[in-house]
Structure formats: structure tokens, C-alpha cells
Amino acid sequence: MDVTRDTPLTDFPGVGEARAKKLEKLGLTSAGDLLTWYPRDYEDRRRIYGIQEAPLEGRVCVAAMAAEHPRLSRIRKGLELVQVRVVDNTGALHLTFFNQSYVERAIRAGEEYIFFGAVEVQGRRRTMVNPIFERADRQSFTGCIMPVYRLTAGISNHLLAALVRQALPCAEGLPETLPQHVRQARRLAAAEFSVKNIHFPEDEEALDLARRRLVFEELFYLAVGLSFLKDRRDREGAGLPVPPQPAEEFLSLLPFTPTGAQRRVMDEVAADMADSRRPMNRLVQGDVGSGKTAVAACAGWLCAKGGCQGALMAPTEVLAGQHYKSLSALLASSGVRVGLLTGSMTAAEKKKTRAALAAGEIDFVVGTHALISEGVAFHKLALIVADEQHRFGVAQRAALAAKSGEEVTPHVLVMSATPIPRTLALMIYGDLDVSVIDQLPPGRTPISTYVVREDKRQRMYNFVRKQVAEGRQAYIICPAVEENPDAALPGEESPALNLKAVKTYAEKLQREVFPDLRLGILHGKMKPREKETAMAAFASGQTQVLVATTVVEVGVDVPNASLIIIENADRFGLSQLHQLRGRVGRGQHPSHCVLITGTRSLEAMERLHTLASTTDGFKISEEDLRVRGPGDFFGNRQHGLPQMKLADLAGDMRLLSEAQEAARELLAEDPRLTAPENRPVWERVRRLFADTPDIFN
Ligand code: ADP
Ligand code: MG
């Protein structure tokens, strides 16, 4: 078959209508698509063993000859066995294939094969179940480093690898998309070499070279695109200057004296917004409980005083509701009108709020993502605050600016408890300033954290009772069972939540353990009104114990709560546990966090003890990054950047800086990429940012 990059997959032998459909689900329709379907992992199948020397660990390749004709037997309906004995000069190996009757014909007595599978010892026999095999004189998936692909039902890794193999010849003479000097200066491998070796690397070194080039390439296009976005922002010019106000006036509204760190950040924000040359673009990093809300309130207040509007976006409805309540209460006496807009409000309510926003009758609106996704029109929007929403980056700001069709770009304030490495922050948020709230409000007693086993359950319940008797409140957190990590962003309610687990647990607690206490329940599948009621009941102290899922993870603030119990704590990531723990220790009372676990894994225990030994969010986040990799935070496209195929934004930090530097150099020479040799770059960037087409205007 002569393959070009446009050859449809239906032309490939063995790909019928049905398989083509399934491949299409993965976004694969042509040979060219296969080339960029990069492996997610590799399996080293280079070493070929004799039968006796083959290790009994993991899957390995064994070379052997079929000593007999395979025997097919039907055990019962739906269960067929093929068995065959294979030999070499060291011994015999007994193979069993389940429900693969074709093997009876595929293996011939007297022929040599390579079998890939796990060798086991049963009695005195060496055995292998369901190995992959091929003839020793026609090796293509053994004796090599084998790619492991992301799959879909009905498409095996073997099939996909075979298709990629057949498609690889069309990488021949693949046009170079990276400018020559960029590639040379950084000693990056050629396109053709890289594509071939990312799929079927000759050795580790070739794989490293291939990966380095392809990751660099991705990051390079990303950097160029982001640079266009930033450029656009600069050309759009200024934000609405918000005149400074006497700080004392705002501070007198607060029920507490702000910390020095809060004061400093408030001043920085005020100065940014007063600057008429360019809009604010500031990231405020502060650990859980450091008091970021007060900074947001200050920014909103300044805006309102200056006759403009501000918007605060929260990641969950629960948090939006809470911010709405506390901000209305805080700002009411100063005449600032606060509004609420969330996706689950009734159509009539939404309509009313939208009209009020358009008419300028609301000064500071609090909402969820609905605020930008539903194209809300503002009267005079000057400020966007994104609370705990890491995805609000350059791309979102551009989308928003495009939507509002305004001449001005809003000031942006992003607030996060997650320490984001600076290079990455710069990348995601563009040219940005960072403020750090590195001080906790005074009078906080550190939270004591305990890791406990099931056998302490009764004592723990007694502890809940004791806290409640002292007038305090407690959270009991259950993990959502069967959570699908792709279905929801962290901080959002998980749709696949197993309701029954939480509900039955809460009912059981009420009935059998705490018949005399007032228990509440809160989970993602409740109606927004029910959630609101549950949250309000807990905030006011009406319910004493709140049994909840991770919907309370970020931001929720009930200072009287002094105890949080986390069930199955080993199922959570460290940063997530830290966020959850941050729900207590928000007032004057000594607070406690109890991590319950039944895990047998030493590593999991070690992680939990790390959390117990420190309350430093930066340390915890570093540790989390080390053991779990960045997937937790960056894996879900929280940042809103285009999807990367190979690059790992946090893990490939060095290459990221290099790619940024290369992008800067290129754009310095050819800002609009109009030179013919730079057209391929322009093309690729355009495709990468297809969701944000307006950046190329
Ligand atoms: P986070 O940074 O996690 O968003 P919050 O803004 O929710 O923190 O503040 C946590 C709690 O601390 C709230 O109850 C808030 O009222 C209180 N708080 C914030 N700043 C101070 C302060 N300077 N002094 C005393 N309490 C404060
Ligand atoms: Mg907060």
C-alpha cells in the first residue's frame, strides 16, 4: 500500500467500517492523524529470553518453537481454550489462550515464534496465558521498544501499533515546521526522525531526542500563540483607570484589622487599577485561610466607588453563594450593590440580574463560570476577580474582551492557594505580576492533624461529641466513590458521585451514632437551593455536624467549625487534603483534622504523615508534585490553554523556558510571521489556537 498523509484509515487493510468509526472517536481518520497519535508510554520488549531464563516478573519476550499442533477445546458455551506446548533447548512452556480460537490455525507445529506475556510457574510447569505472539522471522512487535497508546473500546494497542507502523512511511520527507535556525541553535532532531522514533524508537537515546524535539515544538507554538494574545492585549490598550480612594474607609468596613500582608496586597491592587497605561494583571497567591477574600472585596469596593463594575468568579456554586452573602454584608453599608449570577438560577432570576448588570444597577457581581460563558453584557466592566480558578488565563481574558466588544480590557485579579511555579504562571497568565500573602491572620492556633486507623473510629466519634458539646461544629468528608477524573474539574462537583455512599452514611450516623446531634448533608447532586439551605444551616450553627463530599473543598468559610474528619483520606491528593483541612482553623478555636485510612500502602501512609507534620501549603504542594506529578493540577486543562499532546507544562519546565525564548527571538524578527519561511509556524499556531481565532486579527 502506498500511504500518504491523506490516506483515509478505511484504506488500511483490516480497518472496516466498524473499526473506522471507533478510530474516529479518537479523532483518527487519516494516516497523518496516526503520526501525531503519540504513545502515552512504552514497553521494553527488546530482550528475548529462553524459556528457563525468563524472569517471573512482568511481561517478557520468549523465543520458542511450537512442539505440537494447538489443541482447541470448548469448555462450555462462551469459553474456548487453545493450548499448545512450545519448547527451546532449555525447556518447555505451556501456553493457554482463552477465547481466541484463531490461534489453533495461527500457530503451526515446528515453527519458531516470539511470545510476549507473563511467565508463571504452576507446579513444575512454566506457563503463559494469552500471550501476544508473532513468527520469529517476521518480528515487528517484539524485540523492540513497543509504544503504548491511549485506546478506546474495540481498538487494541496491537491494532493501533500495527496501523501506526503502516502509516510511518508517510513521515518520509516530512516537511520541517520548525525554522531551521531555531532547530539548529537548540540541537533539535529533524521532524521525520522525531515522528518515527516517538512511535518506534530504536533505543532510549533516540526516544529522548525525538521527545525533546516534539515537546519543544508544541511548547514553541504555544509560546508563539500566547505571545500573539499578549500582544493583542497590549494593543487593546488600557483598562479603565479606577481612581484611588482613602484606604481607611474600606478598612473600617472590615470586622478585623487586616494583616500587613493583606494591606500590602490591597495597596498593590489599588495602584494597578489606578494606572491608566495598562490594565492590571495580578496573581495573588496566599495559603488557605490567609484572607484573600478581603483583597477581592477591596478591589470590588474601589471599582464601585469609581463608578465602574466588578465581577467575581468562583469555581463552585456553593462558594459563589458564600461570597455573595459575605460581600453583600460587608459592603452594604458603603452603598455598594452586590449581585449573584449562577448557572442554576431560574431563567427569570438570571434575566433580572442580567438586566440589572446591563443597566449598571449592580456594582459587584458574584458568579460561577456562567458569568463569562453566557455572554453577559455589562454597563461598565472594569474588573474581573477569578477566585481559585486557575483556568482563567490569557486565553479566557481574550475571549472575554472579544465578547464584551469594549475598547477597554478589564483589570484581572487571579486568586489562588496553589503555588504556581513562576515560569508557568507567566505562560498561563501572560505578562503578570505576583503578590504573595505570606502571613496568616493573628490568633490562629495551628491545626493538629492525626492519621488514624479504623479501630479508633469510636474514639473519634466521641471527639466529635466533645467538640460539639463545647459549642463547636464539625465536618465529616466522604470521598466520592467512582470519581471519573475527566468528568469534573477539581473544585467542581463530580457528576459521577456515588450519592448513596454519602447519603446512607449520613443517615446511619444520625441513627446509630449521633441521634442527639443535628446533622446536615451536602453533596454535589443536591439542587442548588438545597445546597444553599444546607450551607446556610451549617454557617448559622443550626446544624452541628455537616456530612459532605468535597464540594466544600475550596473556599468555604465557617469559623466556628473546629474539627474536620476525612474518611478514606488516602484517596485524596495532598494538596486536596490541605485545602479540605483549611476548612477549619479559621477562627480563634484550636482546630483538629482527623485523617481516617484503612490503607496498607506504606507510601500512602507516608503521604498522610507528611500532611500531619506540616501546615505549609508550599511545602505540601511541592511534595504533591514530587509524588503524584503535576496531573492533579494541570492535567485537567484547568489553565484553559490548548491541549498539549506530549508536553507536560509543569514537568517540562526547562524546555518551556527555552521555547519561550525561541518564540521571543522569532517574533522579534518577524512579529506577524509574514516571511514565507515562517508560514508553517503561523499555520500550526493558528490550528493550535483554533478555539481563539480572534487572536490573529
Ligand atoms: P482564603 O485566603 O482562604 O480565601 P478567607 O478570605 O476566606 O481566606 O479568610 C479566612 C477567614 O479569616 C475568614 O473567616 C476571614 O473573615 C478571616 N480573616 C481574614 N483576614 C483576617 C484578619 N486580618 N484578621 C482576622 N481574621 C481574618
Ligand atoms: Mg478563598
Side-chain angles (χ1 to χ4, degrees):
M1 185 175 72
D2 247 354
V3 196
T4 70
R5 260 164 282 145
D6 297 325
T7 307
L9 293 185
T10 41
D11 284 8
F12 280 59
V15 180
E17 195 73 359
R19 273 183 176 159
K21 276 244 161 58
K22 285 173 183 152
L23 289 165
E24 202 177 329
K25 260 205 212 140
L26 299 174
L28 304 173
T29 57
S30 69
D33 295 338
L34 288 173
L35 294 186
T36 52
W37 189 251
Y38 301 132
R40 64 167 176 79
D41 204 354
Y42 300 86
E43 211 167 55
D44 192 346
R45 300 185 182 175
R46 280 175 297 177
R47 173 108 196 247
I48 311 266
Y49 293 93
I51 291 175
Q52 284 305 327
E53 58 164 356
L56 302 176
E57 224 166 76
R59 304 203 295 169
V60 293
C61 291
V62 175
M65 183 185 81
E68 59 185 8
H69 189 76
R71 289 160 281 136
L72 172 70
S73 45
R74 295 206 164 77
I75 303 293
R76 55 180 156 77
K77 203 165 171 251
L79 183 60
E80 291 174 338
L81 285 188
V82 176
Q83 289 171 299
V84 60
R85 194 167 61 94
V86 299
V87 295
D88 66 6
N89 54 13
T90 68
L93 182 66
H94 296 263
L95 308 180
T96 308
F97 296 85
F98 289 99
N99 287 340
Q100 298 176 54
S101 53
Y102 76 93
V103 174
E104 192 203 1
R105 276 158 289 121
I107 294 183
R108 296 214 188 127
E111 295 264 14
E112 284 254 13
Y113 299 89
I114 312 284
F115 300 96
F116 178 72
V119 179
E120 283 174 46
V121 174
Q122 286 179 353
R124 300 176 54 194
R125 289 182 158 191
R126 298 206 138 207
T127 63
M128 209 185 242
V129 175
N130 288 342
I132 291 165
F133 63 94
E134 57 191 359
R135 272 178 48 179
D137 58 350
R138 266 185 237 154
Q139 256 177 278
S140 67
F141 300 118
T142 57
C144 64
I145 298 177
M146 177 73 176
V148 179
Y149 295 100
R150 276 186 295 131
L151 304 170
T152 183
I155 301 293
S156 69
N157 192 55
H158 208 73
L159 173 73
L160 207 47
L163 293 175
V164 173
R165 253 262 147 85
Q166 291 172 71
L168 270 194
C170 72
E172 212 81 43
L174 203 66
E176 190 48 69
T177 45
L178 281 178
Q180 179 80 1
H181 58 277
V182 169
R183 205 158 68 73
Q184 270 170 356
R186 288 170 182 81
R187 298 170 185 277
L188 296 166
E192 183 185 324
F193 172 92
S194 302
V195 167
K196 285 187 168 167
N197 280 282
I198 198 76
H199 290 288
F200 292 97
E202 264 153 38
D203 49 32
E204 281 98 348
E205 203 189 336
L207 177 58
D208 278 351
L209 283 173
R211 190 176 181 282
R212 193 176 124 77
R213 181 229 148 91
L214 294 171
V215 167
F216 179 92
E217 185 174 354
E218 272 196 316
L219 294 174
F220 176 69
Y221 298 136
L222 180 67
V224 172
L226 285 173
S227 171
F228 278 179
L229 280 171
K230 184 175 155 299
D231 212 43
R232 223 185 103 100
R233 168 165 161 252
D234 292 348
R235 275 186 293 133
E236 263 161 6
L240 278 176
V242 173
Q245 308 282 338
E248 290 65 38
E249 207 178 306
F250 173 75
L251 299 182
S252 71
L253 299 172
L254 291 173
F256 46 74
T257 314
T259 62
Q262 281 171 315
R263 276 298 308 261
R264 192 187 69 236
V265 178
M266 286 176 194
D267 288 345
E268 284 166 349
V269 167
D272 281 355
M273 294 205 299
D275 192 333
S276 59
R277 287 164 304 175
R278 46 177 293 203
M280 166 168 73
N281 190 27
R282 186 171 288 276
L283 169 68
V284 176
Q285 293 193 332
D287 207 351
V288 238
S290 61
K292 295 184 288 292
T293 316
V295 174
C298 176
W301 175 82
L302 276 168
C303 257
K305 285 283 150 185
C308 309
Q309 289 174 305
L312 171 67
M313 295 200 318
T316 63
E317 300 225 341
V318 171
L319 192 50
Q322 177 191 291
H323 277 325
Y324 170 65
K325 273 217 189 71
S326 60
L327 289 174
S328 332
L330 183 72
L331 300 175
S333 67
S334 66
V336 176
R337 297 159 299 179
V338 182
L340 178 68
L341 186 65
T342 60
S344 65
M345 283 165 50
T346 66
E349 288 169 327
K350 279 197 239 179
K351 198 170 156 204
K352 209 171 133 203
T353 306
R354 279 213 208 96
L357 277 172
E361 290 157 9
I362 291 176
D363 304 306
F364 197 19
V365 66
V366 181
T368 47
H369 219 206
L371 265 183
I372 56 168
S373 60
E374 297 184 12
V376 178
F378 288 88
H379 176 66
K380 201 174 174 190
L381 179 67
L383 166 75
I384 296 167
V385 185
D387 189 23
E388 303 291 356
Q389 266 196 308
H390 315 295
R391 63 180 151 173
F392 196 83
V394 189
Q396 282 60 45
R397 202 171 44 226
L400 193 70
K403 231 172 220 154
S404 65
E406 302 255 346
E407 292 296 302
V408 293
T409 312
H411 300 289
V412 170
L413 188 62
V414 178
M415 303 197 295
S416 173
T418 313
I420 306 167
R422 188 171 166 81
T423 339
L424 190 58
L426 275 174
M427 188 88 178
I428 299 172
Y429 303 109
D431 180 19
L432 118 158
D433 303 305
V434 180
S435 300
V436 180
I437 306 186
D438 49 6
Q439 193 179 4
L440 289 180
R444 297 269 168 87
T445 46
I447 307 166
S448 331
T449 306
Y450 324 90
V451 183
V452 309
R453 294 272 178 192
E454 278 298 325
D455 57 345
K456 299 272 169 53
R457 187 166 282 280
Q458 208 45 53
R459 274 173 67 179
M460 182 195 73
Y461 287 147
N462 293 340
F463 192 46
V464 174
R465 200 176 283 287
K466 191 160 156 269
Q467 290 289 313
V468 171
E470 284 172 19
R472 301 288 79 77
Q473 289 165 280
Y475 296 95
I476 299 182
I477 308 297
C478 311
V481 185
E482 301 280 348
E483 241 175 300
N484 173 358
D486 295 330
L489 295 164
E492 268 178 3
E493 291 89 314
S494 164
L497 174 70
N498 184 339
L499 288 189
K500 215 156 146 255
V502 191
K503 252 162 84 187
T504 32
Y505 182 50
E507 279 159 16
K508 195 164 166 234
L509 276 178
Q510 178 82 77
R511 210 172 43 236
E512 295 171 16
V513 186
F514 301 122
D516 51 328
L517 302 188
R518 298 185 303 270
L519 264 61
I521 181 166
L522 184 65
H523 57 73
K525 276 293 170 71
M526 282 162 60
K527 297 216 179 69
R529 289 258 184 276
E530 298 170 345
K531 277 192 229 168
E532 222 169 87
T533 314
M535 205 53 238
F538 189 64
S540 69
Q542 213 179 320
T543 43
Q544 297 158 313
V545 178
L546 186 64
V547 183
T549 58
T550 54
V551 285
V552 299
E553 181 180 338
V554 279
V556 167
D557 183 41
V558 179
N560 190 47
S562 62
L563 170 61
I564 185 163
I565 292 171
I566 305 173
E567 301 273 358
N568 294 91
D570 49 282
R571 295 221 201 161
F572 299 100
L574 275 185
S575 298
Q576 198 178 12
L577 287 172
H578 180 59
Q579 276 282 358
L580 281 167
R581 177 169 64 179
R583 294 317 107 218
V584 299
R586 303 175 80 83
Q588 304 293 327
H589 316 289
S591 295
H592 312 271
C593 169
V594 181
L595 307 169
I596 305 185
T597 175
T599 186
R600 296 220 188 97
S601 146
L602 274 178
E603 202 189 309
M605 277 313 266
E606 211 172 286
R607 276 197 310 123
L608 295 181
H609 282 296
T610 304
L611 189 82
S613 68
T614 179
T615 48
D616 181 337
F618 280 76
K619 247 201 207 143
I620 289 167
S621 159
E622 248 171 36
E623 180 65 13
D624 214 16
L625 211 71
R626 194 180 66 77
V627 293
R628 281 160 57 103
D632 202 26
F633 180 62
F634 302 105
N636 285 317
R637 293 195 65 194
Q638 281 233 4
H639 40 68
L641 294 179
Q643 181 90 56
M644 298 286 97
K645 286 187 158 142
L646 266 185
D648 166 356
L649 289 179
D652 292 314
M653 206 64 91
R654 275 270 294 284
L655 273 179
L656 181 60
S657 318
E658 282 187 41
Q660 264 185 314
E661 194 186 288
R664 259 197 308 276
E665 281 167 19
L666 180 73
L667 290 172
E669 272 169 37
D670 184 6
R672 307 308 302 160
L673 297 182
T674 42
E677 71 270 22
N678 292 331
R679 280 332 261 178
V681 176
W682 192 88
E683 245 337 290
R684 293 290 291 265
V685 175
R686 200 174 58 92
R687 255 186 287 152
L688 185 63
F689 282 81
D691 292 342
T692 330
D694 48 290
I695 66 172
F696 299 98
N697 298 336

